[in-house]
Amino acid sequence: MRLHANGTPAELNRGPGRLGDDLTVTSFDDAPGSGQGPEPGHAHAHHHHGGPAAPVSLRLRRVIAAVLIPFAALVAAGVVLLWPGGAPEGEGQRTGLGFDQQTEDARITEVEEVNCADIGVQVPRGVTGTCETATVEVTTGPHAGRTFDEVVPPDAPQRYSVGQKVVVAFAPDAPEELQYSIRDVGREPPMLLLAGVFALVVVAVGRLRGLLALVGLVVSFAVLTAFILPAILNGSNPLLVAVIGGSVIMLVTLFLTHGVTARTAVAVLGTLISLLLIGLLGSAFIGWASLTGNTDDQTSLVHSLYPGIEIRGLLLAGILIGSLGVLDDVTVTQTSAVWELKQAEPGAGWPKLYRSAMRIGRDHIASVVNTLVLAYAGAALPLLLLFTIARSGVDTVAFSEVVAEEIVRTLVGSIGLVASVPVTTLLAALVVSADRRPDAAVPAPSRAPGAAEGSRATSRHRKRRRRTSAPRR
């Protein structure tokens, strides 16, 4: 049998069973589903070119399935039991406040500069400029075609132009001349264009994996809008809904994007354990710190419209869902690192794999925690500016409920992220090492006694023949 330089029989890389030029086949005793490792003396090779990882043993796949299948069945049962049936209580009763206003589409037909004093607008001290009167035409709804004037003072943050699309709020109980007012501007074209560019970039760089990631993103939004939000509005426990809905998102997106493999299963298990830790810590510290979760106008409006919603549970549900996306990134990265380390050094045991992958994970921890903290700080930047303007002390700011809520959200999520690194790395190291023995060295072909001497004699004989057969000059 002819052997390659690495000891692999050349015949194994030819014929119908060939796996590709960059991937040499493994020993037949280590084929998928055999449940056995390589026998000593058998030719065995590994791929070193970034292809798919070799599958784990059949016994180990059964163990993973025994954990994940009941979990998936439990999640499916939870979705069925918590699925929102019928319209939420209170739907159709609009207060006309905040996001509960009835809205219609409109457009700006004329913009005219006017003197603020002529229309009775008082300009704050230090503000210069003229007022504007924007004529707005309603384009949808029962009053399509009606026009009204909107006064724009010089210190208004939003200016308008002729032809611009806007969103107007409708108050049916107000006098006719005051029923409509501009609420926001239309942003469909730039937002849709940005979404299209995002999709193109993801697919161009990620190719099929990027396309699957976009499908997973659509699934995430579908679960959020079709299950999580309606179920909470129907009075279901927000924490339970977030756990069930987050589990659906996790299972679908991870397996869809990364394939149904042992590697993905380990990432799912690591994410699940970290989510449970975040849930327990969040519940404990939200209760201990006496956080109500009712700290902004939107939450107050939701509570007034649906008093049955548990606002504290809504806060904890937000922490879980907010942490899920970053958790997926951490667990998948750590699992992939362990698999790649195993392929680079097939003989490494799980302790060595764990230590090597943890060195990668520590760098990941530092960047992820900093990212999470800065993301929450950026979202709360206007609030922090208000505290700065009021010249409040650090202790007053940090221990106020509105800031303490963000601190608990950040620290609890960060603890879960940090814990996910060693947990996922350990699981991955144990799984990738289980049932797989280090490669047995392929013995070099033995030579018969006197083979070396015979070879040297043959070489001398060939040299004499070349000398005698050389042409004489």
Side-chain angles (χ1 to χ4, degrees):
M1 179 183 293
R2 185 166 57 90
L3 298 176
H4 287 311
N6 62 358
T8 306
E11 286 76 10
L12 291 180
N13 287 329
R14 297 201 301 265
R18 181 174 176 174
L19 298 181
D21 295 334
D22 62 338
L23 180 66
T24 54
V25 297
T26 58
S27 168
F28 295 122
D29 293 327
D30 197 32
S34 65
Q36 298 179 9
E39 293 296 330
H42 281 235
H44 192 93
H46 293 265
H47 89 287
H48 300 275
H49 302 280
V56 296
S57 68
L58 177 62
R59 185 178 69 87
L60 191 56
R61 291 201 299 272
R62 287 173 176 170
V63 171
I64 294 174
V67 176
L68 287 181
I69 291 178
F71 170 65
L74 203 62
V75 169
V79 171
V80 172
L81 293 176
L82 297 176
W83 188 263
E89 183 181 353
E91 184 170 333
Q93 302 176 4
R94 293 184 178 272
T95 64
L97 302 174
F99 288 97
D100 197 42
Q101 292 176 322
Q102 180 179 342
T103 60
E104 301 292 348
D105 295 334
R107 65 185 180 90
I108 306 296
T109 58
E110 184 181 357
V111 177
E112 181 183 1
E113 289 188 359
V114 295
N115 192 309
C116 295
D118 293 343
I119 57 176
V121 175
Q122 293 183 351
V123 180
R125 181 178 300 177
V127 177
T128 60
T130 59
C131 293
E132 292 180 348
T133 300
T135 302
V136 186
E137 179 185 359
V138 180
T139 56
T140 61
H143 302 132
R146 179 190 292 188
T147 61
F148 66 94
D149 291 336
E150 182 86 6
V151 176
V152 185
D155 58 340
Q158 185 67 259
R159 316 300 289 184
Y160 304 105
S161 59
V162 176
Q164 184 178 12
K165 294 183 178 180
V166 294
V167 178
V168 295
F170 175 59
D173 298 332
E176 182 176 340
E177 66 275 9
L178 300 177
Q179 284 184 334
Y180 285 96
S181 61
I182 295 179
R183 173 179 167 179
D184 206 346
V185 298
R187 299 185 178 89
E188 290 85 354
M191 299 299 291
L192 293 176
L193 176 62
L194 182 60
V197 172
F198 165 73
L200 287 176
V201 170
V202 170
V203 174
V205 177
R207 299 184 180 180
L208 179 59
R209 187 67 60 87
L211 180 61
L212 293 175
L214 291 178
V215 175
L217 185 62
V218 173
V219 171
S220 299
F221 276 108
V223 173
L224 184 65
T225 56
F227 172 69
I228 295 179
L229 298 179
I232 292 176
L233 290 179
N234 270 278
S236 300
N237 184 279
L239 176 59
L240 185 59
V241 171
V243 170
I244 298 297
S247 299
V248 173
I249 293 174
M250 175 183 64
L251 288 171
V252 174
T253 56
L254 284 182
F255 282 117
L256 177 66
T257 306
H258 302 285
V260 184
T261 63
R263 181 190 301 195
T264 310
V266 171
V268 168
L269 291 176
T271 305
L272 175 61
I273 294 172
S274 303
L275 278 179
L276 292 176
L277 177 61
I278 291 174
L280 293 175
L281 287 176
S283 179
F285 281 93
I286 287 174
W288 193 10
S290 300
L291 299 178
T292 63
N294 193 4
T295 56
D296 53 35
D297 295 339
Q298 288 77 26
T299 308
S300 300
L301 181 59
V302 169
H303 186 58
S304 64
L305 294 174
Y306 300 92
I309 293 179
E310 185 186 352
I311 301 299
R312 183 176 293 180
L314 195 61
L315 171 61
L316 184 55
I319 295 175
L320 285 174
I321 294 176
S323 302
L324 181 60
V326 189
L327 272 177
D328 290 349
D329 172 59
V330 173
T331 55
V332 169
T333 300
Q334 284 304 114
T335 306
S336 297
V338 172
W339 248 261
E340 293 299 326
L341 289 170
K342 181 65 175 179
Q343 292 179 34
E345 189 176 352
W350 72 263
K352 185 174 182 180
L353 292 175
Y354 175 79
R355 289 192 298 270
S356 299
M358 278 302 298
R359 286 194 288 271
I360 301 173
R362 291 186 187 99
D363 292 336
H364 205 181
I365 287 172
S367 60
V368 166
V369 169
N370 192 47
T371 300
L372 194 63
V373 171
L374 291 180
Y376 284 130
L381 195 58
L383 176 65
L384 298 178
L385 285 175
L386 289 177
F387 278 110
T388 303
I389 294 172
R391 298 183 180 179
S392 302
V394 175
D395 55 344
T396 303
V397 174
F399 299 142
S400 63
E401 180 175 3
V402 65
V403 176
E405 179 180 305
E406 297 300 326
I407 292 176
V408 170
R409 189 196 309 269
T410 301
L411 297 184
V412 167
S414 298
I415 291 172
L417 289 175
V418 172
S420 69
V421 173
V423 169
T424 307
T425 304
L426 179 61
L427 286 174
L430 291 174
V431 168
V432 79
S433 301
D435 295 342
R436 303 186 68 83
R437 288 175 288 178
D439 295 344
V442 179
S446 58
R447 294 182 176 181
E453 291 76 1
S455 177
R456 287 193 293 269
T458 303
S459 177
R460 289 193 299 268
H461 176 68
R462 288 174 179 171
K463 290 179 181 178
R464 284 197 301 269
R465 290 185 59 186
R466 284 196 295 269
R467 287 196 298 268
T468 55
S469 62
R472 296 182 180 180
R473 297 182 179 178

